[in-house]
mmCIF file of all heavy atoms in Angstrom:
data_model
loop_
_atom_site.group_PDB
_atom_site.id
_atom_site.type_symbol
_atom_site.label_atom_id
_atom_site.label_comp_id
_atom_site.label_asym_id
_atom_site.label_seq_id
_atom_site.Cartn_x
_atom_site.Cartn_y
_atom_site.Cartn_z
ATOM 1 N N LEU A 136 -2.243 57.661 13.742
ATOM 2 C CA LEU A 136 -1.676 56.722 14.710
ATOM 3 C C LEU A 136 -1.686 57.326 16.113
ATOM 4 O O LEU A 136 -2.093 56.673 17.087
ATOM 5 C CB LEU A 136 -0.253 56.357 14.296
ATOM 6 C CG LEU A 136 0.365 55.126 14.945
ATOM 7 C CD1 LEU A 136 -0.368 53.860 14.519
ATOM 8 C CD2 LEU A 136 1.845 55.017 14.580
ATOM 9 N N HIS A 137 -1.258 58.555 16.226
ATOM 10 C CA HIS A 137 -1.201 59.205 17.537
ATOM 11 C C HIS A 137 -2.597 59.445 18.100
ATOM 12 O O HIS A 137 -2.801 59.391 19.317
ATOM 13 C CB HIS A 137 -0.438 60.523 17.424
ATOM 14 C CG HIS A 137 0.997 60.351 17.051
ATOM 15 N ND1 HIS A 137 1.790 61.374 16.551
ATOM 16 C CD2 HIS A 137 1.806 59.246 17.088
ATOM 17 C CE1 HIS A 137 3.008 60.919 16.317
ATOM 18 N NE2 HIS A 137 3.042 59.630 16.623
ATOM 19 N N GLY A 140 -3.665 56.804 20.165
ATOM 20 C CA GLY A 140 -2.873 56.595 21.372
ATOM 21 C C GLY A 140 -1.622 55.774 21.173
ATOM 22 O O GLY A 140 -1.028 55.304 22.143
ATOM 23 N N LEU A 141 -1.187 55.597 19.919
ATOM 24 C CA LEU A 141 -0.025 54.766 19.626
ATOM 25 C C LEU A 141 1.174 55.610 19.193
ATOM 26 O O LEU A 141 1.004 56.683 18.606
ATOM 27 C CB LEU A 141 -0.349 53.750 18.530
ATOM 28 C CG LEU A 141 -1.416 52.706 18.854
ATOM 29 C CD1 LEU A 141 -1.748 51.907 17.606
ATOM 30 C CD2 LEU A 141 -0.932 51.778 19.963
ATOM 31 N N VAL A 142 2.359 55.107 19.454
ATOM 32 C CA VAL A 142 3.606 55.697 18.972
ATOM 33 C C VAL A 142 4.279 54.648 18.089
ATOM 34 O O VAL A 142 4.404 53.487 18.479
ATOM 35 C CB VAL A 142 4.530 56.089 20.146
ATOM 36 C CG1 VAL A 142 5.806 56.736 19.619
ATOM 37 C CG2 VAL A 142 3.817 57.031 21.103
ATOM 38 N N HIS A 143 4.704 55.042 16.892
ATOM 39 C CA HIS A 143 5.279 54.093 15.945
ATOM 40 C C HIS A 143 6.640 53.567 16.416
ATOM 41 O O HIS A 143 6.914 52.378 16.404
ATOM 42 C CB HIS A 143 5.415 54.744 14.570
ATOM 43 C CG HIS A 143 5.810 53.806 13.473
ATOM 44 N ND1 HIS A 143 7.112 53.355 13.311
ATOM 45 C CD2 HIS A 143 5.087 53.224 12.488
ATOM 46 C CE1 HIS A 143 7.159 52.545 12.273
ATOM 47 N NE2 HIS A 143 5.952 52.447 11.739
ATOM 48 N N ARG A 144 7.533 54.473 16.772
ATOM 49 C CA ARG A 144 8.850 54.193 17.347
ATOM 50 C C ARG A 144 9.888 53.653 16.359
ATOM 51 O O ARG A 144 10.997 53.321 16.767
ATOM 52 C CB ARG A 144 8.754 53.238 18.539
ATOM 53 C CG ARG A 144 7.915 53.773 19.687
ATOM 54 C CD ARG A 144 8.270 53.099 20.986
ATOM 55 N NE ARG A 144 8.019 51.667 20.926
ATOM 56 C CZ ARG A 144 8.558 50.789 21.775
ATOM 57 N NH1 ARG A 144 9.364 51.197 22.732
ATOM 58 N NH2 ARG A 144 8.269 49.509 21.667
ATOM 59 N N LEU A 166 6.954 47.738 16.396
ATOM 60 C CA LEU A 166 7.389 48.325 17.666
ATOM 61 C C LEU A 166 6.360 49.294 18.237
ATOM 62 O O LEU A 166 6.585 49.868 19.305
ATOM 63 C CB LEU A 166 8.724 49.061 17.486
ATOM 64 C CG LEU A 166 9.932 48.210 17.122
ATOM 65 C CD1 LEU A 166 11.173 49.098 16.979
ATOM 66 C CD2 LEU A 166 10.177 47.128 18.169
ATOM 67 N N ALA A 167 5.274 49.488 17.528
ATOM 68 C CA ALA A 167 4.283 50.473 17.972
ATOM 69 C C ALA A 167 3.649 50.053 19.293
ATOM 70 O O ALA A 167 3.379 48.877 19.534
ATOM 71 C CB ALA A 167 3.197 50.632 16.912
ATOM 72 N N CYS A 168 3.443 51.022 20.142
ATOM 73 C CA CYS A 168 2.771 50.751 21.412
ATOM 74 C C CYS A 168 2.206 52.043 21.959
ATOM 75 O O CYS A 168 2.401 53.126 21.383
ATOM 76 C CB CYS A 168 3.721 50.105 22.416
ATOM 77 S SG CYS A 168 5.094 51.147 22.903
ATOM 78 N N ARG A 170 1.702 55.249 24.454
ATOM 79 C CA ARG A 170 2.681 56.161 25.041
ATOM 80 C C ARG A 170 3.182 55.594 26.352
ATOM 81 O O ARG A 170 2.428 55.047 27.143
ATOM 82 C CB ARG A 170 2.063 57.535 25.253
ATOM 83 C CG ARG A 170 1.643 58.219 23.947
ATOM 84 C CD ARG A 170 0.995 59.558 24.244
ATOM 85 N NE ARG A 170 0.591 60.229 23.010
ATOM 86 C CZ ARG A 170 -0.586 60.086 22.436
ATOM 87 N NH1 ARG A 170 -1.481 59.280 22.974
ATOM 88 N NH2 ARG A 170 -0.884 60.727 21.325
ATOM 89 N N PHE A 194 9.344 57.855 25.585
ATOM 90 C CA PHE A 194 8.863 58.188 24.251
ATOM 91 C C PHE A 194 7.431 58.675 24.308
ATOM 92 O O PHE A 194 6.665 58.332 25.216
ATOM 93 C CB PHE A 194 8.960 56.982 23.306
ATOM 94 C CG PHE A 194 8.213 55.763 23.784
ATOM 95 C CD1 PHE A 194 6.872 55.584 23.465
ATOM 96 C CD2 PHE A 194 8.835 54.800 24.562
ATOM 97 C CE1 PHE A 194 6.178 54.464 23.903
ATOM 98 C CE2 PHE A 194 8.150 53.687 25.016
ATOM 99 C CZ PHE A 194 6.816 53.513 24.675
ATOM 100 N N ASP A 195 7.073 59.508 23.347
ATOM 101 C CA ASP A 195 5.681 59.906 23.116
ATOM 102 C C ASP A 195 5.578 60.298 21.642
ATOM 103 O O ASP A 195 6.478 59.993 20.851
ATOM 104 C CB ASP A 195 5.242 61.036 24.066
ATOM 105 C CG ASP A 195 6.047 62.317 23.904
ATOM 106 O OD1 ASP A 195 6.718 62.480 22.851
ATOM 107 O OD2 ASP A 195 6.017 63.158 24.820
ATOM 108 N N ALA A 196 4.491 60.946 21.258
ATOM 109 C CA ALA A 196 4.281 61.264 19.847
ATOM 110 C C ALA A 196 5.415 62.105 19.272
ATOM 111 O O ALA A 196 5.782 61.962 18.097
ATOM 112 C CB ALA A 196 2.946 61.998 19.685
ATOM 113 N N ASP A 199 8.290 60.261 17.573
ATOM 114 C CA ASP A 199 8.078 59.942 16.160
ATOM 115 C C ASP A 199 8.388 61.140 15.272
ATOM 116 O O ASP A 199 8.909 60.981 14.157
ATOM 117 C CB ASP A 199 6.631 59.504 15.923
ATOM 118 C CG ASP A 199 6.359 58.067 16.334
ATOM 119 O OD1 ASP A 199 7.323 57.299 16.507
ATOM 120 O OD2 ASP A 199 5.172 57.716 16.454
#
Side-chain angles (χ1 to χ4, degrees):
L136 196 66
H137 296 162
L141 296 172
V142 182
H143 188 283
R144 299 202 299 162
L166 295 180
C168 64
R170 297 178 180 90
F194 57 88
D195 61 18
D199 281 343

